């Protein structure tokens, strides 16, 4: 059987009746020629009869059901399940309770086939109401047995148009002339290339409440070169259901604040205090948009134009170039925006070497998240399997056993990578025995050489300090990587971190030392990077290492990572690294970092020993 032409991803949670309306509409889809589609229902922990309802459609639909445990609002993770398991080149996102016109999927597919560029399709959604206004009237008017008739009637009567209609009337329907077309890409009815969705990392699973996760992904699709297209014929009806507009707006406000801090660009910062209808106008009035100023658009100067500022790298919020200068400056979308996909080849390539799963987050989590947000290609290499954490630190040898713990921690590391904004393939596991790396150095060295040959274009390397780290696995990881870089003649920017010092030893109550070979670099200095916009992502990634930060085993009386250490991780707003001091520092040069550290991260530097 040939692969489907599109994968329809439907997230759901305790809405089996609404889901049935959506599945009914999918049964009515009319595709062209040999086209066919599959459906993935991604259940975010429902306790109702959702699974039974889905099973009832298997004789009419190519449908698969995936369930994740109820751990709070995780619609981003649910949709990522769909992206992960999709067999088609195009993913169409539809919410539970959205009824598609019988030609909607054909319209989505046509839009993708009509463009040689990766495309993100914005469908047209009728009856979308923010607080269930007109809900009873819409439900009474809807012909659930023949929804195409309702589509025709509502369109003919001009009733319940898409709430984005006035936006299209103002700016036009050619989304390619807009600076922020991603503001319109709402996953109640939208589609995109599966390959590009995976390439940009899917939905950000740090969004754990209603709102903004689709706009966030749309933003990344846009910066990756996707062409946004409005298709009125990819139309849908949003079936009314009870909801609280006030609660949704409170949730969205917090999520948009996270979005703004995450990208920290002029256009991203506008989403916090401005309705999506206004942002294009603001950008044009400031001369930041690709579209021209007309008699309708971009002519109104607003209060925000006077008070908003742009920060230079390292400047605290509220200041900008020239102090009180109120102007904003490009790049509107950020440092790593690509209009053409070929330019992505020049993006930074970052390698993080981690002795055990969790060290990558503790030492570099905020920095990794920043690199990911700026479009860098980041890979994390784990030296050991981390299997001895409970046995060596807590004296717990079963439930889980070291063999069980190895597999659990591997999955935790993958989840942490996703929380930092990386894709599922970003983690590489060398799997040397935890606490015994010293016994396997020749093989470990050969593996590191292989990694570095494969990543010969690496521009930045983060690794444990080969002298200042006290734990043997940590120190030997750093020592080996530094030696292999020299052997291969690779000269990336190298940032050395320290996780395991005397204080850590005392808090963990665990010692695994062996002596260092030398005294270390006499010309190194300590640099500090501000990770404030990314602490939530770092914290989310740290929490994914549940075996280390929770009472995971039945016999535990304390977490592997002691509470005082965890408190320091959660309190930190900077990450520190040792770098080799240049032979001569230029007068007036930046004090906070070497080479191309992540843009706008460098904050302050304290001179080292």
């Amino acid at each position: 059987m040939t692969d489907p032409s599109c994968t329809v991803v439907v997230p759901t949670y305790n809405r089996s009746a609404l889901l049935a309306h959506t599945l009914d509409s999918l049964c009515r889809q009319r595709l062209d020629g040999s086209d066919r589609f599959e459906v993935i229902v991604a259940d975010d922990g429902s306790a109702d009869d959702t699974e039974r309802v889905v099973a009832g459609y298997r004789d009419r639909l190519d449908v698969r059901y995936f369930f994740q445990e109820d751990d709070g609002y995780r619609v981003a993770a649910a949709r990522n399940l769909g992206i992960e398991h999709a067999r088609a080149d195009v993913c169409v996102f539809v919410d539970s309770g959205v009824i598609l016109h019988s030609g909607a999927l054909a319209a989505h597919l046509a839009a993708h086939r009509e463009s040689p560029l990766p495309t993100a399709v914005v469908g047209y959604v009728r009856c979308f109401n923010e607080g269930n206004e007109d809900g009873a009237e819409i439900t009474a008017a809807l012909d659930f047995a023949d929804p195409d008739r309702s589509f025709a009637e509502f369109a003919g009567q001009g009733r319940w148009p898409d709430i984005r209609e006035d936006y299209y009337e103002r700016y036009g329907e050619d989304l390619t002339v807009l600076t922020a077309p991603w503001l319109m890409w709402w996953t109640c009815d939208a589609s995109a290339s599966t390959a590009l969705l995976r390439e940009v990392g899917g939905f950000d699973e740090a969004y754990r409440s209603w709102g903004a996760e689709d706009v966030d992904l749309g933003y990344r699709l846009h910066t990756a070169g996707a062409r946004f297209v409005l298709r009125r014929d990819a139309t849908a009806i949003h079936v009314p259901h009870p909801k609280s507009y006030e609660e949704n707006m409170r949730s969205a406000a917090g999520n948009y604040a996270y979005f703004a801090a995450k990208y920290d660009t002029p256009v991203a910062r506008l989403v916090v205090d401005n309705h999506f209808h206004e942002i294009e106008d603001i950008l044009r009035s400031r001369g930041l948009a690709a579209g021209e100023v007309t008699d309708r658009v971009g002519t109104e100067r607003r209060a925000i134009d006077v008070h908003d500022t742009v920060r230079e790298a390292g400047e605290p919020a509220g200041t900008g170039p020239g102090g009180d200068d109120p102007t904003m400056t490009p790049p509107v979308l950020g440092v790593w925006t690509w209009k053409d996909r070929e330019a992505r080849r020049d993006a930074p390539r970052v390698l993080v070497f981690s002795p055990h799963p969790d060290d990558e987050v503790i030492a570099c989590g905020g920095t990794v998240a920043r690199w990911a947000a700026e479009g860098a290609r980041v890979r994390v290499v784990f030296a050991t399997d981390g299997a001895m954490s409970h046995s060596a630190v807590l004296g717990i040898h079963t439930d889980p056993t070291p063999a069980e713990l190895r597999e659990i921690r591997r999955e935790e590391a993958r989840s942490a990578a996703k929380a930092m904004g990386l894709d599922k393939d970003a983690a590489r596991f060398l799997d040397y025995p935890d606490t015994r790396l010293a016994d396997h150095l020749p093989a470990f060295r050969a593996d590191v050489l292989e990694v570095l040959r494969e990543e010969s274009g690496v521009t930045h390397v983060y690794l444990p300090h080969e002298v200042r780290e006290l734990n043997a696995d940590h120190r030997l990881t750093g020592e080996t990587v530094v030696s292999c870089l020299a052997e291969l003649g690779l000269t990336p920017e190298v940032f050395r971190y320290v996780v395991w010092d005397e204080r850590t030893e005392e808090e963990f109550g665990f010692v695994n030392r062996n002596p260092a070979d030398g005294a270390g670099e006499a010309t190194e200095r300590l640099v500090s990077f501000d990770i404030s916009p990314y602490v939530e992502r770092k914290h989310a990634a740290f929490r994914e290492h549940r075996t280390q930060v929770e009472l995971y085993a039945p016999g535990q009386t304390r977490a592997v990572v002691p509470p005082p250490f965890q408190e320091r991780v959660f309190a930190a707003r900077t990450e520190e690294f040792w770098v080799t001091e240049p032979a001569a520092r230029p007068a007036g040069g930046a004090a906070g970092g070497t080479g191309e550290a992540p843009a706008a991260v460098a904050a302050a530097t304290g001179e080292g020993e």
Side-chain angles (χ1 to χ4, degrees):
M1 181 180 293
T2 59
D3 285 339
S5 304
C6 67
T7 298
V8 182
V9 179
V10 188
T12 193
Y13 176 71
N14 285 338
R15 288 181 172 175
S16 62
L18 287 172
L19 176 63
H21 292 313
T22 300
L23 297 178
D24 284 340
S25 76
L26 290 170
C27 291
R28 301 185 183 97
Q29 291 302 298
R30 296 178 283 102
L31 297 184
D32 298 331
S34 61
D35 283 340
R36 65 184 189 87
F37 65 94
E38 66 171 349
V39 181
I40 292 178
V41 175
D43 192 339
D44 190 19
S46 296
D48 62 3
D49 60 343
T50 292
E51 184 173 10
R52 181 184 63 78
V53 167
V54 174
Y57 285 85
R58 290 205 168 98
D59 61 337
R60 291 168 284 169
L61 293 172
D62 177 6
V63 60
R64 288 182 287 160
Y65 173 81
F66 294 92
F67 179 87
Q68 63 186 19
E69 294 296 331
D70 187 358
D71 187 24
Y73 186 96
R74 294 195 296 155
V75 71
R79 290 197 186 103
N80 281 341
L81 279 174
I83 296 171
E84 178 182 355
H85 293 283
R87 295 187 297 234
D89 292 336
V90 171
C91 279
V92 180
F93 297 100
V94 180
D95 282 345
S96 295
V98 168
I99 297 176
L100 292 176
H101 185 275
S102 61
L105 292 187
H108 275 283
L109 284 170
H112 288 276
R113 289 167 176 167
E114 289 167 5
S115 173
L117 299 174
T119 300
V121 178
V122 176
Y124 192 86
V125 183
R126 290 188 174 275
C127 307
F128 186 96
N129 48 20
E130 295 179 313
N132 205 30
E133 62 275 10
D134 297 335
E137 186 179 356
I138 293 171
T139 302
L142 251 172
D143 186 344
F144 289 97
D146 184 8
D148 278 9
R149 188 169 71 84
S150 295
F151 280 106
E153 288 181 356
F154 295 170
Q157 298 163 358
R159 302 182 80 189
W160 302 302
D162 192 311
I163 63 172
R164 295 164 289 190
E165 184 63 58
D166 57 345
Y167 186 90
Y168 303 142
E169 290 177 0
R170 181 171 178 80
Y171 299 111
E173 298 186 10
D174 181 3
L175 302 188
T176 62
V177 304
L178 301 179
T179 306
W182 39 272
L183 287 167
M184 302 297 104
W185 197 76
W186 300 353
T187 44
C188 50
D189 179 12
S191 64
S193 155
T194 305
L196 190 58
L197 288 165
R198 290 170 177 166
E199 184 178 330
V200 302
F203 291 88
D204 181 350
E205 296 180 16
Y207 289 98
R208 296 294 299 270
S209 60
W210 186 89
E213 78 284 343
D214 47 4
V215 170
D216 183 298
L217 179 53
Y219 181 97
R220 284 178 281 125
L221 290 172
H222 186 50
T223 62
R227 174 178 178 267
F228 282 69
V229 175
L230 168 65
R231 289 294 295 233
R232 288 181 176 271
D233 51 352
T235 188
I237 288 174
H238 195 285
V239 178
H241 59 83
K243 53 188 169 183
S244 169
Y245 173 77
E246 291 75 16
E247 288 182 10
N248 283 348
M249 290 305 99
R250 281 194 294 269
S251 171
N255 286 347
Y256 278 120
Y258 167 72
F259 173 86
K262 173 181 174 181
Y263 295 108
D264 198 24
T265 57
V267 68
R269 292 197 292 275
L270 287 175
V271 304
V272 177
D273 298 313
N274 299 279
H275 195 278
F276 70 84
H277 284 190
E278 300 178 311
I279 290 176
E280 182 72 20
D281 196 54
I282 294 171
L283 291 169
R284 292 192 189 189
S285 71
R286 297 176 179 184
L288 295 174
E292 64 178 345
V293 175
T294 69
D295 57 353
R296 298 183 64 202
V297 181
T299 55
E300 182 179 353
R301 186 165 176 81
R302 302 159 190 265
I304 189 172
D305 293 316
V306 176
H307 298 297
D308 197 25
T309 59
V310 165
R311 283 178 282 145
E312 294 283 6
E315 287 186 314
T319 63
D324 295 329
D325 182 1
T327 60
M328 296 180 74
T329 56
V332 176
L333 292 177
V335 174
W336 300 111
T337 300
W338 303 280
K339 294 292 184 184
D340 123 33
R341 293 173 57 75
E342 292 299 313
R344 300 191 67 180
R345 296 177 181 174
D346 298 327
R349 301 180 67 174
V350 181
L351 275 178
V352 178
F353 286 90
S354 179
H356 314 94
D358 77 355
D359 292 315
E360 82 288 6
V361 178
I362 293 168
C364 321
T367 301
V368 168
R370 181 73 190 213
W371 277 125
E374 292 183 353
R377 182 180 183 275
V378 184
R379 296 290 180 266
V380 183
V381 181
F382 295 98
T384 78
D385 57 18
M388 294 299 291
S389 63
H390 283 62
S391 184
V393 177
L394 302 177
I396 295 174
H397 311 293
T398 58
D399 197 15
T401 65
E404 292 169 336
L405 196 55
R406 167 182 165 167
E407 298 307 313
I408 295 167
R409 294 195 71 182
R410 180 185 286 249
E411 292 308 310
E412 288 177 341
R414 290 195 178 106
S415 296
K418 291 177 70 174
M420 290 185 289
L422 306 181
D423 61 47
K424 64 179 182 180
D425 299 320
R428 179 164 179 172
F429 304 90
L430 301 184
D431 282 335
Y432 285 93
D434 187 9
T435 73
R436 294 174 48 209
L437 186 59
D439 299 335
H440 302 271
L441 287 181
F444 176 57
R445 180 181 177 80
D447 280 348
V448 171
L449 285 169
E450 179 184 352
V451 169
L452 292 175
R453 288 189 184 101
E454 293 174 0
E455 303 287 348
S456 58
V458 62
T459 58
H460 300 74
V461 172
Y462 294 80
L463 49 79
H465 199 294
E466 67 271 35
V467 176
R468 298 177 188 274
E469 283 277 5
L470 298 183
N471 182 286
D473 286 351
H474 286 236
R475 190 184 62 72
L476 291 171
T477 297
E479 184 178 283
T480 302
V481 175
V482 168
S483 173
C484 290
L485 286 170
E487 178 176 328
L488 296 175
L490 301 179
T491 57
E493 297 287 339
V494 176
F495 297 83
R496 296 165 167 88
Y497 60 80
V498 177
V499 169
W500 204 275
D501 55 15
E502 289 89 348
R503 184 177 181 182
T504 305
E505 271 188 346
E506 182 179 354
E507 290 172 346
F508 274 74
F510 174 71
V511 176
N512 177 31
R513 294 197 191 192
N514 64 6
D517 286 343
E521 290 279 358
T523 57
E524 66 182 3
R525 62 192 176 96
L526 188 65
V527 298
S528 177
F529 295 105
D530 177 18
I531 60 165
S532 298
Y534 298 93
V535 291
E536 293 303 320
R537 302 199 76 168
K538 176 171 181 170
H539 294 172
F542 191 40
R543 293 188 185 99
E544 290 295 339
H545 290 286
R546 291 183 171 87
T547 58
Q548 307 303 293
V549 301
E550 299 176 2
L551 298 181
Y552 190 85
Q556 281 186 248
T557 58
R558 53 152 274 200
V560 172
V561 178
F565 189 96
Q566 291 193 39
E567 290 170 5
R568 285 193 281 131
V569 172
F570 284 119
R573 293 296 181 270
T574 60
E575 288 174 346
E576 296 182 339
F577 305 97
W578 292 93
V579 298
T580 301
E581 181 76 356
R585 187 186 304 175
T594 63
E596 292 181 53
V601 176
T605 301
E607 293 300 320
E609 298 174 358

